[in-house]
Amino acid sequence: MTTLSRPRDDRWIAGVCSGLGRRFGIDPKAVRIAFVISCLLPGPQFLIYILLWILMPVED
């Protein structure tokens, strides 16, 4: 298992979904789709994404 970090190569916006997918062994496309679908529900999804963007280190 890899560490939680945002990759430099497989990004769409900030690489958060790609980093989460790589860390947990899930296809990054599936994580992106789950995030987009979750945005249709009430909750702090965008705030969590921005927080992860700030806290997750960029891959070396």
Side-chain angles (χ1 to χ4, degrees):
M1 215 180 272
T2 62
T3 60
L4 186 59
S5 63
R6 295 181 295 125
R8 293 184 182 273
D9 59 345
D10 188 23
R11 294 181 170 194
W12 279 19
I13 297 175
V16 173
C17 291
S18 182
L20 289 171
R22 287 183 181 186
R23 170 63 173 92
F24 295 108
I26 304 169
D27 185 22
K29 291 178 188 174
V31 177
R32 290 180 185 117
I33 291 169
F35 175 72
V36 170
I37 291 171
S38 76
C39 288
L40 300 174
L41 302 171
Q45 292 86 342
F46 288 114
L47 294 176
I48 292 170
Y49 188 91
I50 291 170
L51 184 67
L52 287 173
W53 186 352
I54 293 168
L55 295 176
M56 283 174 65
V58 177
E59 187 176 69
D60 290 332

